[in-house]
Amino acid sequence: MQKINEQSNVITWFEIPVADTNRARKFYETILDIKMNTQYMEETKEEATFFPSIPGIIQATSGRVTGALIKNERSKPSKEGSMVYLNAYPSIQTVIDKIESAGGKVIVPKTKIMAGYISVFIDTEGNKIALHAEA
C-alpha cells in the first residue's frame, strides 16, 4: 500500500454544499467557463454535480484534484470552515469579473501572494470559496 508522501496529493476530492443544484451549476459553469455533469446517486441519496475530470484517473497519485457540488441532507452551504481554492488559470481577473454578474459576491479582490494571485468570493449558495492563479 502506498503512503502519502511528497509526490502524492493530501487532498484528493472536495465537495461544495449547495441548496439549489441548478443555480449553483449555472454559477460555476459561468464563472469558470466549464461544463458540469449532474447525477443523482441513489446509494447516498444525494445529487452530485461534477467538476471536469479525466475518468479513471486516481486523483491521489495523478496530481489532479477534482470535486463536486453536493446537495444532500448532511451538508449545508456555509461561509465558515474549510475553504476550497479553485484554479482560475490562465487569468484570475477573468474569473473575478464574472462572479457578481453570475450572482456571487467578491469579498477579497485580486491579491498578490508569493505563488501568484488569490481572490475570495461568496457563491450563490452562501459558500466562501477562493480562486488561485499565477496571473
Side-chain angles (χ1 to χ4, degrees):
M1 178 192 289
Q2 183 177 352
K3 296 181 356 182
I4 293 176
N5 61 42
E6 65 278 350
Q7 295 180 358
S8 59
N9 288 329
V10 174
I11 298 194
T12 60
W13 179 257
F14 64 86
E15 294 180 350
I16 299 173
V18 302
D20 183 323
T21 299
N22 291 331
R23 177 179 60 204
R25 178 180 178 163
K26 182 178 178 185
F27 176 78
Y28 284 98
E29 285 182 336
T30 299
I31 71 166
L32 297 175
D33 196 23
I34 58 173
K35 291 293 179 200
M36 301 176 79
N37 177 36
T38 301
Q39 295 178 359
Y40 181 75
M41 300 186 311
E42 184 64 40
E43 60 277 2
T44 57
K45 305 284 188 246
E46 62 191 7
E47 212 170 57
T49 301
F50 299 95
F51 285 87
S53 66
I54 300 172
I57 297 292
I58 299 170
Q59 276 74 28
T61 57
S62 71
R64 294 182 53 88
V65 175
T66 193
L69 306 175
I70 298 292
K71 181 178 179 182
N72 63 32
E73 293 182 11
R74 299 179 311 278
S75 305
K76 67 178 184 175
S78 173
K79 295 178 186 121
E80 301 170 6
S82 300
M83 188 159 50
V84 173
Y85 281 76
L86 299 176
N87 186 350
Y89 178 85
S91 167
I92 195 169
Q93 194 61 52
T94 300
V95 179
I96 293 168
D97 290 344
K98 297 176 186 178
I99 290 172
E100 298 207 358
S101 63
K105 180 179 181 186
V106 176
I107 59 172
V108 176
K110 180 179 177 182
T111 303
K112 177 81 172 132
I113 62 168
M114 287 177 44
Y117 295 89
I118 61 166
S119 178
V120 181
F121 64 93
I122 305 299
D123 72 6
T124 56
E125 306 307 293
N127 293 300
K128 180 176 67 173
I129 305 290
L131 301 170
H132 173 261
E134 292 180 8

